[in-house]
Amino acid sequence: MVPPETTPELAVHGVVLLGTDTVYAVHMPTFTAPYDFQAVLRVTLDTDTYRTARKRYGTSALFTLSPRTLLLKDLEPGASFPADLYFGRLGREGELLGEVRVGIEERLYVGHPTEPTIEPTPLRYVLFGREQLYLAHVFTRPPDFDQVLTAQLAGEWLTSAGEQTVRTVTIPGRPDDLTGRLHPGEQVSTEGTELQVLAEVYLETTDLAGEA
């Protein structure tokens, strides 16, 4: 029996896994507490299952984790948590690959919903990575969308022995909704840098349609 303060939907929560040599975990947010936050983490895994599958299926294949429990306060460097690893989207078409223990090495980004405003919200992404670059759409308020893409930039921005590994970029002249989102094959200019979008790893709208 599920306790009154917890629902089955909140008891199972998700994370997108990215990368091969350096592995990242991107929290799949909702607008329902306690999962109404966005996070990008650099992590380690205790088995080779994920890396073997990643090398087989490629950079843009979708892998997700279903942790036992996952709250923002748990996402501190040095912490770890058990999770089920899926090829594909957990809870839908995903194929269970086994259990892994995820160790958190670094919190790269944490974001929260914004208050409603009459001003239009700019289209923003968290840009991060080392061997490969990724873009994670910054969520703001419902209705919204969750999106993760692979990308590359013209010019070097990861310099000084990897000191700068994450930043937020604004895509000018684009609405912050599904119609304005970035698409594979696009090249856009942001803050003086040419950004090439390579592939879409993940796109979700249902989880961010609104408050439960």
Side-chain angles (χ1 to χ4, degrees), residues 64-68 81-86 96 98-102:
T64 56
L65 293 174
S66 177
R68 301 293 182 269
F81 58 89
D84 290 327
L85 171 65
Y86 290 85
L96 179 63
E99 183 177 315
V100 297
R101 177 161 285 276
V102 183

Side-chain angles (χ1 to χ4, degrees), residues 4-5 16 30-31 35 50 54 75 77 82 85 87 91-92 94 150 170 188 204:
E5 67 273 15
V16 175
T30 73
F31 286 110
Y35 302 120
Y50 165 72
R54 171 64 71 190
L75 303 182
L85 171 65
F87 172 51
R92 296 181 187 170
T150 60
T170 299
V188 295
E204 173 66 36

Side-chain angles (χ1 to χ4, degrees), residues 59 127-128 130-135 149-158 167 182 185-190 193-199:
T59 303
L127 176 66
F128 61 98
R130 286 183 176 171
E131 302 88 7
Q132 170 67 57
L133 297 181
Y134 303 95
L135 290 159
L149 307 120
T150 60
Q152 64 184 18
L153 295 179
E156 295 295 331
W157 72 284
L158 295 175
R167 68 178 180 181
L182 293 177
E186 282 193 86
Q187 182 165 322
V188 295
S189 179
T190 172
T193 302
E194 291 299 315
L195 175 65
Q196 178 71 47
V197 182
L198 300 179

Side-chain angles (χ1 to χ4, degrees), residues 13-35:
H13 207 52
V15 173
V16 175
L17 275 186
L18 301 164
T20 303
D21 295 330
T22 304
V23 181
Y24 300 96
V26 180
H27 178 252
M28 298 157 64
T30 73
F31 286 110
T32 304
Y35 302 120

